[in-house]
Amino acid sequence: MEYSERMEYYRQNRAQWHSRAVLANEALDSLEVPVGCVIVEDGKVIASGRNQTNETRNATRHAEMEAIDTLLEQWREQRLSKSQVAEKFSKCRLYVTCEPCIMCAAALSFIGIREVFYGCANDKFGGCGSILSLNSSSSEPQTSGGAPKGKGFKCTGGIMATEAVSLFRSFYEQGNPNAPKPHRPLAQQATQ
Amino acid sequence: MEEMWQIVHIPDNPPIPPDQQPTVDAIASLIDPLFANTLVRRLNQIAPLENLRHVKRVHKKFVQGVHYTGKTQLSVILCLASQNGNQLDSIQNDVQELMNSYQLSPFITKVGLSLFILTRSASMLHHQKKSGKNNASYGQHLIIPQLSITGFSQEDSQSVFSFMKYAIQLAKSGDNLEVNAAVIVDPSVKQVIAKACDQTCSCYNPKNEITLETSCSEKLETSVCHGISGGALSCKEHSNGFPAKSEQLYTGVSCLCPWGWAEQESDMSLRYCHPLRHASIVAIESSAARDRLLFPSSGKTQDNKSFEMDHMQSCSAASPAKRQKTNSTNIQVNYGEDNLDLNGEGCSRSLSARPYLCTGFDMYLVWEPCIMCAMALVHQRIRRIFFAYPNPKAGALGSVHRLQGQRSLNHHYAVFRVLVGTDI
């Protein structure tokens, strides 16, 4: 990457980090695993999402899925056609505090996102290099006969990873009350 | 009518073809069938096959005689051969004594190392024919049925088949399987928890709903019988595992072409589309909605927290909601006894019975799910997945990926393919 390009990239990331961190903190306050993300088109945040798995009791409601749903809802109201939706997605970049899991990485590939930036790696579920690499199209079977091919996307990790990790740390230190079996005892409840 | 229906376990690791099996050398000998029992008992004492418990020591072979007379030939594994030097010289003394007293003449053979899973298929028989006369491969064709034709009781199998029929009915519009269908089932009470079809396009009339009201009265038999009597069923399966239609016709099945949503029908209409609303995702959403309805928690998160803690404690105290972790070795779960009498009160479960997500529930899918759906089902803690048709280009449970074998994940489900009979 060119130097100027890299500077621009970090400048943007700084800006995006703030909104992601706010979202992740919001998730933390709601006793959710703190993950937040924003989707950016032409340098402008057009959607955001935070993890809502406990509240919805739907373990698939990750930040990325929330943000994608928000966008699709917007575009439905704007009455965009399928091809317009596809074109829109191909211009979008996603910034997320933690490496997308296998499900989200697949979803991002399906919608045809342009690029993904993430904070810390996800060494149990990560779908962008840690466990599977769904962002690289070559991991998908090459199909023939006009069938659609898997779409890859550019993916960069380790962006402000320390901040992302400390978010997780503060969450797990308070104890995840919604885990099926607490791996460590919940901190004594000092809350009112 | 249903002889053709079958449940096949899809293992966590890809099956190894017999000729690529890791093997070790062993010393074997032909024996007189009269002494088989004595010899095996003695050999198990003096030369036990420690790490090869799956291997049967005795191998039976039918040998064609000259005048159309056949006889059964028995051979037995005496011991493992040493890794170096002349293998036949390294036989330990007491085995050597045994050989002398029964006048055995040893030869070297191969023993399969890993317990692999294969059905009794044609290729298997073919392989058996290929193996040479004195090179009988122990372990390879003696260990077959352990997991392949799974340990489902007659009753459990029938229940699995019924739910799969139900899913296939859901996926049908007319005679065609144009979408995927997903049915989440609580096997302990044989009850449908949630059901959905692909909703990647609004043109399709969504069939999913929260089955809160209906599910209690909607017992399996009624719904399935209704489905069967109501529809003309003529979808036959081809040898390649697909229903009798060419593959191209299934582009509407979200999991088969997850990238294809934008390219379908190049119309510019304003139809709503959501590329991620695959049947599994919608069904999970539906089951979560049902959970919130059945077990509402007080609005405040602080209260919620303490409630969750109470719930956790009751769970760890062996509540029925905390069901056993399933892996391929204990797939035989005793459905019947402890839970059947809950049927009547299924609608009024107490809070302590609230399951964690879909813990203990099964998922029935017409098509093998894509990687997004497969991971979603891990997240939601589904216990077992049954699917009817493979998804060669995007399937995540054996075809392209094999998510059930991914050890780093925090939850693992067992995966089965239901071979659909000709009555569908």
Side-chain angles (χ1 to χ4, degrees):
Chain A
M1 212 185 301
E2 292 290 314
Y3 178 74
S4 56
E5 204 181 325
R6 203 182 318 147
M7 286 314 289
E8 167 60 18
Y9 164 86
Y10 279 119
R11 195 189 57 75
Q12 263 201 17
N13 272 308
R14 281 258 162 233
Q16 307 315 344
W17 166 257
H18 181 68
S19 24
R20 284 182 298 162
V22 168
L23 285 158
N25 268 311
E26 193 185 311
L28 186 64
D29 289 343
S30 332
L31 304 173
E32 299 278 359
V33 177
V35 182
C37 76
V38 293
I39 295 179
V40 174
E41 185 192 18
D42 300 329
K44 206 179 100 207
V45 173
I46 54 169
S48 62
R50 67 165 177 87
N51 192 24
Q52 298 211 44
T53 53
N54 291 332
E55 193 184 320
T56 55
R57 297 183 210 172
N58 180 342
T60 69
R61 298 316 295 166
H62 289 184
E64 298 91 325
M65 303 297 258
E66 292 285 336
I68 292 170
D69 278 5
T70 310
L71 268 191
L72 283 164
E73 187 54 34
Q74 279 176 27
W75 293 339
R76 188 172 74 99
E77 280 164 15
Q78 294 167 21
R79 305 181 71 77
L80 298 192
S81 72
K82 276 200 277 191
S83 50
Q84 286 171 311
V85 166
E87 203 194 320
K88 278 271 200 187
F89 273 131
S90 70
K91 292 178 183 161
C92 286
R93 292 181 165 88
L94 177 103
Y95 296 79
V96 58
T97 51
C98 178
E99 178 188 351
C101 77
I102 289 168
M103 172 188 74
C104 292
L108 291 164
S109 155
F110 295 167
I111 63 169
I113 200 135
R114 181 189 189 92
E115 196 168 5
V116 170
F117 300 94
Y118 65 83
C120 56
N122 183 343
D123 57 6
K124 276 190 176 151
F125 315 109
C128 295
S130 291
I131 306 298
L132 296 178
S133 299
L134 299 168
N135 54 306
S136 70
S137 49
S138 55
S139 77
E140 301 303 333
Q142 290 303 304
T143 55
S144 55
K149 284 178 185 166
K151 289 178 199 153
F153 52 85
K154 224 173 122 188
C155 197
T156 315
I159 291 154
M160 276 155 263
T162 14
E163 288 93 330
V165 169
S166 70
L167 264 170
F168 279 119
R169 192 164 294 141
S170 50
F171 175 72
Y172 286 107
E173 269 165 11
Q174 83 181 6
N176 180 1
N178 294 308
K181 219 191 289 165
H183 294 291
R184 57 180 69 90
L186 298 171
Q188 201 56 47
Q189 299 237 287
T191 45
Q192 54 280 23
Chain B
M1 182 100 149
E2 287 181 3
E3 284 87 41
M4 302 291 287
W5 286 75
Q6 231 178 19
I7 304 172
V8 180
H9 179 244
I10 311 289
D12 293 354
N13 297 304
I16 306 163
D19 50 345
Q20 287 166 28
Q21 272 268 311
T23 57
V24 287
D25 285 348
I27 296 164
S29 168
L30 294 177
I31 55 167
D32 187 332
L34 277 180
F35 304 129
N37 278 338
T38 325
L39 277 168
V40 168
R41 210 173 300 130
R42 181 83 184 115
L43 281 166
N44 280 342
Q45 287 167 359
I46 61 175
L49 299 176
E50 276 305 339
N51 298 316
L52 297 164
R53 292 183 194 281
H54 60 280
V55 176
K56 274 192 182 172
R57 279 201 108 112
V58 177
H59 178 56
K60 194 193 276 184
K61 206 166 81 169
F62 188 75
V63 181
Q64 196 81 52
V66 254
H67 301 293
Y68 301 102
T69 57
K71 64 169 184 170
T72 305
Q73 203 178 52
L74 284 190
S75 57
V76 68
I77 298 175
L78 299 169
C79 59
L80 294 184
S82 78
Q83 298 299 315
N84 37 38
N86 186 336
Q87 293 175 315
L88 290 179
D89 287 349
S90 62
I91 299 171
Q92 63 188 82
N93 285 340
D94 33 9
V95 176
Q96 193 74 56
E97 282 168 27
L98 199 71
M99 284 165 57
N100 293 341
S101 51
Y102 286 89
Q103 294 174 331
L104 305 177
S105 47
F107 59 87
I108 306 285
T109 185
K110 302 269 183 205
V111 177
L113 268 182
S114 59
L115 200 161
F116 69 100
I117 302 124
L118 270 179
T119 46
R120 289 177 200 278
S121 62
S123 68
M124 205 60 214
L125 292 170
H126 176 64
H127 176 76
Q128 282 179 12
K129 276 183 211 150
K130 273 201 313 198
S131 53
K133 41 187 171 184
N134 266 355
N135 270 337
S137 306
Y138 290 83
Q140 295 195 344
H141 42 279
L142 297 174
I143 55 166
I144 296 160
Q146 188 131 6
L147 291 172
S148 58
I149 304 301
T150 46
F152 286 89
S153 71
Q154 185 74 12
E155 192 203 342
D156 293 346
S157 302
Q158 287 311 313
S159 162
V160 167
F161 299 153
S162 304
F163 281 118
M164 185 54 81
K165 280 181 193 168
Y166 182 52
I168 290 172
Q169 288 303 319
L170 266 182
K172 277 190 175 172
S173 61
D175 276 351
N176 300 330
L177 286 168
E178 279 169 7
V179 292
N180 204 351
V183 180
I184 299 175
V185 169
D186 180 350
S188 63
V189 288
K190 295 191 164 67
Q191 190 184 341
V192 173
I193 298 293
K195 58 187 180 194
C197 290
D198 287 335
Q199 287 182 12
T200 40
C201 259
S202 66
C203 55
Y204 186 72
N205 181 31
K207 282 186 185 173
N208 78 305
E209 64 231 36
I210 301 164
T211 51
L212 181 59
E213 300 81 14
T214 54
S215 59
C216 294
S217 56
E218 184 186 41
K219 285 285 159 264
L220 171 67
E221 288 77 14
T222 53
S223 56
V224 170
C225 290
H226 170 74
I228 287 168
S229 60
L233 310 173
S234 62
C235 198
K236 301 232 173 5
E237 191 176 347
H238 265 186
S239 51
N240 63 1
F242 279 96
K245 288 215 156 192
S246 82
E247 212 180 299
Q248 278 73 13
L249 293 179
Y250 296 106
T251 50
V253 178
S254 307
C255 283
L256 293 186
C257 321
W259 296 277
W261 56 276
E263 286 138 43
Q264 288 165 29
E265 299 165 38
S266 54
D267 60 31
M268 296 299 286
S269 72
L270 299 175
R271 290 193 316 190
Y272 174 55
C273 81
H274 191 311
L276 304 181
R277 287 184 74 78
H278 294 199
S280 302
I281 302 287
V282 184
I284 287 173
E285 182 182 276
S286 177
S287 79
R290 174 185 180 275
D291 190 4
R292 296 194 303 269
L293 268 172
L294 274 179
F295 308 104
S297 52
S298 45
K300 295 245 167 59
T301 43
Q302 296 298 338
D303 297 345
N304 198 10
K305 190 169 186 172
S306 55
F307 155 71
E308 296 279 0
M309 280 175 68
D310 292 347
H311 171 59
M312 220 84 66
Q313 280 149 7
S314 70
C315 264
S316 55
S319 99
K322 185 74 190 174
R323 294 179 181 92
Q324 65 188 107
K325 190 183 173 192
T326 313
N327 56 37
S328 37
T329 52
N330 62 354
I331 38 177
Q332 276 179 308
V333 190
N334 48 341
Y335 299 148
E337 39 194 350
D338 47 5
N339 273 315
L340 272 182
D341 51 340
L342 281 177
N343 275 358
E345 48 186 292
C347 292
S348 59
R349 298 185 194 191
S350 65
L351 276 181
S352 66
R354 176 183 154 189
Y356 177 66
L357 303 174
C358 285
T359 304
F361 294 167
D362 295 338
M363 174 60 116
Y364 290 81
L365 292 165
V366 176
W367 300 92
E368 179 188 358
C370 68
I371 186 79
M372 175 184 74
C373 293
M375 190 60 198
L377 295 167
V378 171
H379 285 318
Q380 201 68 11
R381 304 292 202 279
I382 285 284
R383 191 185 67 175
R384 300 184 298 190
I385 296 179
F386 299 89
F387 69 83
Y389 302 113
N391 176 355
K393 285 175 185 164
L397 301 179
S399 293
V400 178
H401 303 283
R402 195 175 284 262
L403 200 64
Q404 67 269 42
Q406 199 55 256
R407 294 337 281 176
S408 73
L409 306 180
N410 61 347
H411 172 75
H412 299 94
Y413 40 59
V415 178
F416 303 90
R417 180 169 171 206
V418 176
L419 299 174
V420 173
T422 46
D423 54 329
I424 273 285

